[in-house]
């Protein structure tokens, strides 16, 4: 029997702005990986990446090496396989010793001189050079972009392979160091904190960045431009934005709410999980939640606050997507549904319960319209072309809101905090979240998840209205 939760939306006289529906298509990425890899275990576990490159913008050329620290997982391993495309490999070494390898078809197989055992840690060094290519997805390409204003990487969902060797799946998170040399007219930013910058002569400068937190490959980045740095030194979390000089005044106005938003989400979700937060401006087609350093398209920086909901959506990803990362792409809603609901929570913070109702009504109506177009897909494991869609964003957010209604505010937000603490810096699945919700609430929720997460569509009601012509009322 279908179980239905209905929320009656009653609006008061408070002046609540219309939710900014125009941000919805900007927030949705509408990209998808070529395949869904549901295997969350492979023969090794990457512990760290150290990416050391020199970039020649004029020739759109890179040269350097990547060191990969790998801990062996299987009992015996004689080959390490990495995702890698487009580059010319010069040398491959393991623990300082040259080894043979096979390279082609997007795979680099490193042949170990002797089998490694579970628990061993190996350092793989790959030296390479080449002209990185942009590999297309339905919405944006993955790889390194060379534009008039910026050089930047964009690799969601599985595009790190186009400029450094990696195990390019979201379930293998690792720390990342980037040591990148660019022309000295540019400032280069990345994940984490800047460790050093050294003028190396010949008009070049080397920036060293370190992010000592586990990071999925799709969340790693660099961006280089003639950036102005906007720093907020008053907040407990260091906030540093990197924007074009001509947009700096608008950025100051637009980003002024970020400290308040960090504080608010820290109350709801738990303390901010990383060593800094900021935005970098580039040519991306919207927002991308690179860990600690979110990429924003220039058009979002207006000085009017028009895209505030994009900003808080991307900020919320620091908890949902970055701190806790989906185990594979079937669980995309754990990233995007959570970040979309965080928008509604921000609207609630600004405009109270009536504001929350208005925002949720808007999300619900967007999904109903989407479903009316024939998009009857479940939130969990939708068709690949709809991985980033209204189903995994707006519908997933409304289902989270229903869960909040079902178990109550206290248990709902305790569920979020417990889920975050349990899977902090690792990966989680839909069942992991369900199990936490059941544990915290004391409720059996199979029926709820079966109908709303694993099932498709929304309730349809048939009704008949009778009029009593003999009544005076």
């Amino acid at each position: 029997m279908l179980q239905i939760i209905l929320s009656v939306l009653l609006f008061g006289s408070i002046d609540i702005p219309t939710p900014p529906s125009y941000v919805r298509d900007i927030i949705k990425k509408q990209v998808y990986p070529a395949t869904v890899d549901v295997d969350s275990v492979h023969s090794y576990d990457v512990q760290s990446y150290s990416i050391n490159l020199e970039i020649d913008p004029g020739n759109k050329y890179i040269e350097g090496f990547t060191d990969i620290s790998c801990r062996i997982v299987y009992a015996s391993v004689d080959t390490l396989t990495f995702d890698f495309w487009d580059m010319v490999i010069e040398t491959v070494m393991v623990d300082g010793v040259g080894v043979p390898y096979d390279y082609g078809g997007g795979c680099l197989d490193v042949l170990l001189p002797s089998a490694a055992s579970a628990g061993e840690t190996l350092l793989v060094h790959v030296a390479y050079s080449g002209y990185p290519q942009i590999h297309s997805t339905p919405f944006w390409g993955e790889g390194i972009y060379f534009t008039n204003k910026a050089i930047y990487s964009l690799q969601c969902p599985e595009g790190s392979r186009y400029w450094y060797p990696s195990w390019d799946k979201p379930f293998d998170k690792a720390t990342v160091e980037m040591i990148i040399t660019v022309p000295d007219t540019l400032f280069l930013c990345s994940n984490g904190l800047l460790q050093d910058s050294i003028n190396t002569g010949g008009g070049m400068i080397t920036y060293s960045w370190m992010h000592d937190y586990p990071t999925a490959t799709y969340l790693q980045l660099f961006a280089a431009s003639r950036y102005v740095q906007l720093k907020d030194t008053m907040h407990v979390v260091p906030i540093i934005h990197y924007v074009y000089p001509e947009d700096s005044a608008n950025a100051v106005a637009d980003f002024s709410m970020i400290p308040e938003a960090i504080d608010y989400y820290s109350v709801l979700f738990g303390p901010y999980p990383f060593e800094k937060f900021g935005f970098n401006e580039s040519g991306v087609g919207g927002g991308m939640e690179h860990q600690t350093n979110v990429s924003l398209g220039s058009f979002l920086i207006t000085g009017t606050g028009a895209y505030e909901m994009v900003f808080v959506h991307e900020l919320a990803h620091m908890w949902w997507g970055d701190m806790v990362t989906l185990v594979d792409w079937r669980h995309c809603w754990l990233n995007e549904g959570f970040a979309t609901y965080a928008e509604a929570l921000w609207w609630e913070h600004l405009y109270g319960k009536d504001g929350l109702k208005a925002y949720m009504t808007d999300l619900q109506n967007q999904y109903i319209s989407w479903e009316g177009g024939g998009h009857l897909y479940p939130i969990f494991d939708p068709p690949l072309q709809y991985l980033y869609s209204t189903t995994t964003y707006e519908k997933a957010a409304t289902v989270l809101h229903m869960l909040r209604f079902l178990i109550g505010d206290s248990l709902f937000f305790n569920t979020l905090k417990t889920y975050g603490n349990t899977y902090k810096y690792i990966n989680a699945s839909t069942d992991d979240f369900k199990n936490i919700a059941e544990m915290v609430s004391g409720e059996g929720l199979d029926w709820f998840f079966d109908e709303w997460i694993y099932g498709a569509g929304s309730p349809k009601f048939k009704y008949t209205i009778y009029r009593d012509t003999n009544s005076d009322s």
Side-chain angles (χ1 to χ4, degrees), residues 8 28 34 55 60 69 94 130 145 160 162 204 209 303 335 376 385 391 399 445 448 467:
V8 179
K28 287 193 284 290
I55 297 177
K60 300 181 180 180
S69 176
V94 175
Y145 282 79
S160 65
Y162 303 130
M204 305 296 284
W209 287 81
N335 288 14
L376 293 170
Q385 64 268 37
T391 300
V399 170
L445 295 172
F448 182 87
R467 182 180 179 188

Side-chain angles (χ1 to χ4, degrees), residues 21-60:
S21 300
Y22 56 84
V23 306
R24 303 258 50 90
D25 287 338
I26 296 168
I27 288 172
K28 287 193 284 290
K29 297 178 182 66
Q30 297 180 354
V31 298
Y32 54 87
T35 61
V36 172
D37 190 322
V38 300
D39 177 17
S40 61
V41 177
H42 60 121
S43 63
Y44 63 90
D45 178 18
V46 177
Q47 303 296 294
S48 66
Y49 294 99
S50 180
I51 302 163
N52 193 316
L53 297 175
E54 181 168 327
I55 297 177
D56 177 353
N59 293 305
K60 300 181 180 180

Side-chain angles (χ1 to χ4, degrees), residues 103-316:
Y103 179 47
C107 288
L108 168 61
D109 292 327
V110 177
L111 310 178
L112 303 180
S114 59
S117 302
E120 284 188 59
T121 299
L122 305 177
L123 183 65
V124 179
H125 172 93
V126 183
Y128 56 95
S129 61
Y131 301 88
Q133 303 299 304
I134 298 297
H135 290 252
S136 295
T137 71
F139 187 56
W140 54 30
E142 300 174 310
I144 295 179
Y145 282 79
F146 294 86
T147 72
N148 291 334
K149 285 197 170 184
I151 308 163
Y152 60 95
S153 64
L154 186 62
Q155 53 213 53
C156 178
E158 295 175 0
S160 65
R161 64 190 69 191
Y162 303 130
W163 60 283
Y164 67 94
S166 61
W167 186 254
D168 199 13
K169 299 295 180 184
F171 60 76
D172 195 347
K173 301 171 74 169
T175 64
V176 59
E177 177 184 41
M178 292 202 191
I179 303 171
I180 301 182
T181 302
V182 293
D184 61 12
T185 55
L186 304 178
F187 180 87
L188 183 138
C189 64
S190 184
N191 308 95
L193 297 175
L194 179 64
Q195 305 297 304
D196 202 1
S197 59
I198 302 173
N199 284 291
T200 53
M204 305 296 284
I205 186 170
T206 300
Y207 294 95
S208 299
W209 287 81
M210 183 68 201
H211 185 42
D212 203 21
Y213 290 80
T215 314
T217 52
Y218 79 96
L219 299 172
Q220 299 169 11
L221 93 151
F222 74 85
S225 184
R226 300 176 185 268
Y227 284 133
V228 170
Q229 298 182 59
L230 307 177
K231 299 182 179 181
D232 185 337
T233 59
M234 302 299 292
H235 196 267
V236 64
V237 175
I239 299 171
I240 310 174
H241 307 298
Y242 310 95
V243 300
Y244 304 153
E246 62 270 26
D247 294 330
S248 60
N250 285 342
V252 168
D254 278 346
F255 302 158
S256 62
M257 36 64 65
I258 289 299
E260 181 182 352
I262 291 176
D263 290 342
Y264 179 62
Y265 288 151
S266 294
V267 170
L268 297 183
F269 307 148
Y272 180 78
F274 302 117
E275 71 271 53
K276 85 155 197 292
F277 179 76
F279 295 119
N280 71 83
E281 182 178 2
S282 68
V284 299
M288 178 59 215
E289 62 269 20
H290 295 121
Q291 197 157 300
T292 74
N293 193 0
V294 170
S295 297
L296 294 178
S298 296
F299 71 97
L300 298 174
I301 303 173
T302 65
T304 66
Y307 296 104
E308 182 173 310
M309 305 313 287
V310 178
F311 305 154
V312 296
H313 178 105
E314 302 303 333
L315 170 61

Side-chain angles (χ1 to χ4, degrees), residues 367-385:
Y367 172 71
I368 295 300
S369 176
W370 166 259
E371 183 185 301
H375 301 100
L376 293 170
Y377 309 115
I379 289 173
F380 170 78
D381 195 19
L384 284 178
Q385 64 268 37

